Amino acid sequence: MPFAIYMFALTAFALGLAQFVPIGLSDVMAGSLGVSNESVGAVVSAYALGATISAPILSALTAAWARKRVMLATALVFSLGSLAAATSNDLTFIVAARFVAGLGHGLFLAVATSVAAQLVGSKGAGTAVALVFGGFTVALAIGVPIGTWLGTFVSWRPLFHGITGFGVLGLLGLMLSMTTDAAPSSHDATGAALRGLKALIHPRLLAGVLVTVLAYIGSFGVFTYIAPLLIGVTGTTMSTVSAFMLVYGVMAAIGNIIVGKVTDSMGANRASLLVVAGIAITVLGVYLFAQSVIAMAVQVANVVLFLASEESSFMTGSEVVVDGGYTAV
C-alpha cells in the first residue's frame, strides 16, 4: 500500500477528532467561555456546515487542480482553522474558525477517497478507501472517548491544539509522500469547474443531498447536546459521559463494518431507507427514555450505529454520472 494512503488516514484521524470531540466537551467549553450549552452547539454545527458546503461546491471548483495541490490546501485550511479555534476566547470567532476548518474537512475526504483508489488501481481500491476511512473510525473509537475523558481534567484548549497538531502532521506527511501531478491548462480548469457546478443541480444529486441533510440534522441534533442531556436530564457525571463516548466510538466502528454487508445484500437504496428509519426510531427513544441511564446507553449505541452506517451507505448509493465521471454525495 502506498505510504501516501497512510498519510490520508492520519489526516482523516485529525478530521474525525475535530468533528466529534467537541460533542463531549460542550459543558466544559460552556463553563470556560461563560456561555450557555445551547451557544456552544454552534461550534459543532459550524464545522458540519463548512464540511457540507465544501464537499460538493469546492470539489467542483477544484476539479481540474492538481490533486496534491488540493489535498495540501485542504490540510492547511483545516489546520489553520483548528489553531484559530484553539486560541480564541470569543465564541463567535471560534464558530467562524470551526467553519473554516470544516471547509478543509469536506473537500479532503472527497478527494482523498478518489486519489487513494487511483493510487492502487481497481483491484485494491476498496482496501485503500477503507484504510482512509479507518483513520476516521479510529478517531471515533479511541480519540473521542479519550478526549472526552481528558476534558474532565484539563481545559478543552489542549485538546483542540492536539487536533491542530495531527492536522499539521498530516500536512507534512502529504507534502513528503505525494508526487506532484501535472497541472491542467487554464482553459481545462475553467471547463472542469463549470461542468462540476452544472452537475450540482442534477435532480438525483439534489435528492441525495436532501435525504442526507435531513438525516444528519436528526442524528447530530441529538449528539450535539448529548453531554448536557446526559448530565442535566439523565443524571450522569462527566466521567460517565466519557464512557458513553467510548460506546459511541465502538458502535461507529461496528456500523462501518456492517453497512458494507447490508448494502451488498439489500442494495444502497434499501440500506439507506433502513438506516434513516433506524435513526428516527432511536432519536424518538432518546426523547422518551432520557431519564434512564441504561436506556440512554442503548439509544446512544443504536443512533451511532445507524449514523456511521448512514454516511457509508449514502456515499455508496449517491453517485451521479456526469461526462464520464461522477460526483458523490
Side-chain angles (χ1 to χ4, degrees):
M1 194 67 66
F3 182 69
I5 295 179
Y6 293 99
M7 293 301 98
F8 298 172
L10 174 62
T11 308
F13 175 76
L15 301 179
L17 291 178
Q19 181 172 353
F20 294 107
V21 161
I23 292 175
L25 300 176
S26 57
D27 264 15
V28 176
M29 293 185 69
S32 172
L33 297 170
V35 298
S36 66
N37 282 316
E38 292 82 359
S39 299
V40 173
V43 173
V44 177
S45 58
Y47 186 89
L49 180 61
T52 301
I53 290 174
S54 68
I57 297 177
L58 296 186
S59 292
L61 292 175
T62 61
W65 285 22
R67 297 296 87 186
K68 182 175 181 178
R69 177 186 175 191
V70 175
M71 298 189 73
L72 290 178
T74 58
L76 179 61
V77 168
F78 168 79
S79 299
L80 290 176
S82 298
L83 178 62
T87 55
S88 178
N89 290 315
D90 180 72
L91 179 62
T92 301
F93 186 86
I94 294 173
V95 170
R98 288 276 296 171
F99 175 80
V100 171
L103 292 175
H105 176 121
L107 183 56
F108 179 87
L109 288 181
V111 176
T113 51
S114 174
V115 174
Q118 293 173 9
L119 287 176
V120 299
S122 58
K123 291 185 178 180
T127 301
V129 172
L131 182 58
V132 174
F133 276 96
F136 205 78
T137 303
V138 170
L140 281 170
I142 300 177
V144 171
I146 291 178
T148 304
W149 177 72
L150 287 175
T152 63
F153 304 103
V154 300
S155 169
W156 56 273
R157 295 185 188 280
L159 301 177
F160 273 46
H161 280 298
I163 292 170
T164 303
F166 280 114
V168 172
L169 285 176
L171 173 63
L172 295 176
L174 293 172
M175 291 177 63
L176 297 175
S177 63
M178 290 188 70
T179 57
T180 303
D181 45 338
S185 68
S186 59
H187 174 74
D188 291 337
T190 301
L194 290 176
R195 288 193 299 272
L197 290 173
K198 182 179 178 181
L200 294 180
I201 62 174
H202 192 290
R204 185 178 169 193
L205 178 61
L206 291 177
V209 168
L210 179 61
V211 173
T212 304
V213 167
L214 292 176
Y216 270 33
I217 289 173
S219 52
F220 278 107
V222 173
F223 271 93
T224 297
Y225 300 104
I226 194 66
L229 177 65
L230 289 171
I231 293 173
V233 179
T234 310
T236 64
T237 63
M238 191 62 193
S239 59
T240 304
V241 172
S242 65
F244 272 80
M245 292 299 103
L246 177 60
V247 174
Y248 184 110
V250 171
M251 295 308 293
I254 294 174
N256 282 328
I257 296 172
I258 291 176
V259 69
K261 297 181 179 180
V262 173
T263 303
D264 288 340
S265 62
M266 299 180 61
N269 291 336
R270 290 183 178 179
S272 297
L273 179 61
L274 176 63
V275 167
V276 173
I279 289 174
I281 294 171
T282 304
V283 170
L284 177 61
V286 170
Y287 172 75
L288 294 176
F289 304 107
Q291 294 182 340
S292 169
V293 175
I294 296 176
M296 283 296 288
V298 173
Q299 302 308 320
V300 167
N302 285 340
V303 76
V304 176
L305 174 66
F306 284 118
L307 179 59
S309 302
E310 169 192 2
E311 182 170 357
S312 300
S313 64
F314 286 166
M315 287 189 66
T316 302
S318 301
E319 295 181 353
V320 178
V321 177
V322 181
D323 293 337
Y326 71 87
T327 300
V329 179

